Amino acid sequence: MKPGPQFPSNVTQLQEGESFCFKCHPGVPCFTDCCQQLDLALTPYDVVRLKEVLGLTGKDFLEQYAVLEYEEGDIFPRVYLAMKNDGRASCPFVSINGCSVYEGRPSACRTYPLGRGAWQDSKGMNHASHVLIRESHCLGFAESSRQNVNYWIKDQELAVYNEINDQLMALLHHPKIKAGFRPSADQCVLYIQTLYHLEEFKEATTKQVGVQMNDTALLRYAVDWLINEFFHKE
């Protein structure tokens, strides 16, 4: 029998329907402690929601609030939220009253204290599993509110985040990448411009297809467009 994944002692695999106790609110003594000292990767849909709350374009959001990193072994650049230089590496949107962009908070913030792993099988079907992450500083686990994965996904409005983030797997784990494809520098720039600078992509797409899409629909279209651009064009 193939052994299951090995998790740290504070991480527990959640079975379907399994419940857990957790609630985060201003009355918890550790409120906002989880908004410091973290590397927060931003998906394209995270940026869509954040820029809407802030009234920015995607390009302006990246210039003001993001850091692009490209490490050895990465296929495409990664986008991270730029933390404040306050000695605690605090989120730029956290205050004593909590999150100032709560309606647009990223998927990682919505998912916590869960962790979500997603993968594609050999037929290209998407699958996901969840773990519970018990960090020592978090006192939300002492609360009596009982949750389960399905309730948490609904309560945190994660379904659309998960759907669009999972769609990206068709691009990031494309068979041609597994076969050795590596994007050029220009293709890496196109990746960021297409998925994170949606306003520019929207203008070009509207002229091409004659239909103006909202950012959510446009992002779905952008993923498929990049797959064709990188892997299927002659």
Side-chain angles (χ1 to χ4, degrees), residues 77-147:
R78 297 175 185 264
V79 177
Y80 289 88
L81 186 63
M83 299 302 171
K84 292 191 291 189
N85 186 19
D86 61 355
R88 300 190 68 190
S90 301
C91 171
F93 306 120
V94 68
S95 71
I96 58 173
N97 297 316
C99 179
S100 64
V101 292
Y102 189 78
E103 291 303 315
R105 67 198 184 281
S107 51
C109 303
R110 294 170 184 266
T111 304
Y112 185 83
L114 301 182
R116 181 177 185 268
W119 69 94
Q120 284 188 328
D121 60 25
S122 58
K123 298 180 180 179
M125 298 294 292
N126 294 340
H127 302 273
S129 63
H130 292 82
V131 296
L132 185 66
I133 305 169
R134 293 181 178 271
E135 296 185 299
S136 59
H137 66 77
C138 182
L139 302 177
F141 295 102
E143 299 291 296
S144 60
S145 295
R146 188 159 289 278
Q147 324 279 358

Side-chain angles (χ1 to χ4, degrees), residues 48-201:
V48 164
R49 295 292 294 270
L50 284 165
K51 73 182 183 68
E52 287 177 352
V53 171
L54 295 166
L56 297 172
T57 65
K59 183 178 181 180
D60 287 344
F61 177 87
L62 260 60
E63 289 178 350
Q64 296 180 37
Y65 293 109
V67 175
L68 269 63
E69 294 188 3
Y70 191 89
E71 299 180 356
E72 185 177 356
D74 286 343
I75 306 300
F76 295 103
R78 297 175 185 264
V79 177
Y80 289 88
L81 186 63
M83 299 302 171
K84 292 191 291 189
N85 186 19
D86 61 355
R88 300 190 68 190
S90 301
C91 171
F93 306 120
V94 68
S95 71
I96 58 173
N97 297 316
C99 179
S100 64
V101 292
Y102 189 78
E103 291 303 315
R105 67 198 184 281
S107 51
C109 303
R110 294 170 184 266
T111 304
Y112 185 83
L114 301 182
R116 181 177 185 268
W119 69 94
Q120 284 188 328
D121 60 25
S122 58
K123 298 180 180 179
M125 298 294 292
N126 294 340
H127 302 273
S129 63
H130 292 82
V131 296
L132 185 66
I133 305 169
R134 293 181 178 271
E135 296 185 299
S136 59
H137 66 77
C138 182
L139 302 177
F141 295 102
E143 299 291 296
S144 60
S145 295
R146 188 159 289 278
Q147 324 279 358
N148 61 44
V149 170
N150 290 335
Y151 174 83
W152 195 252
I153 290 173
K154 181 179 180 180
D155 183 66
Q156 299 298 309
E157 300 178 352
L158 274 163
V160 64
Y161 284 84
N162 292 341
E163 175 205 342
I164 297 178
N165 293 345
D166 287 355
Q167 186 183 353
L168 268 172
M169 288 194 295
L171 170 62
L172 301 178
H173 302 288
H174 193 275
K176 289 192 176 181
I177 289 178
K178 296 178 181 179
F181 168 87
R182 292 298 179 267
S184 66
D186 286 345
Q187 287 174 319
C188 286
V189 170
L190 182 63
Y191 172 86
I192 294 295
Q193 290 179 336
T194 303
L195 297 179
Y196 290 91
H197 298 179
L198 274 181
E199 289 77 15
E200 297 174 14
F201 185 67

Side-chain angles (χ1 to χ4, degrees), residues 5-13 131-136:
Q6 298 298 309
F7 298 116
S9 58
N10 67 319
V11 177
T12 306
Q13 179 83 50
V131 296
L132 185 66
I133 305 169
R134 293 181 178 271
E135 296 185 299
S136 59

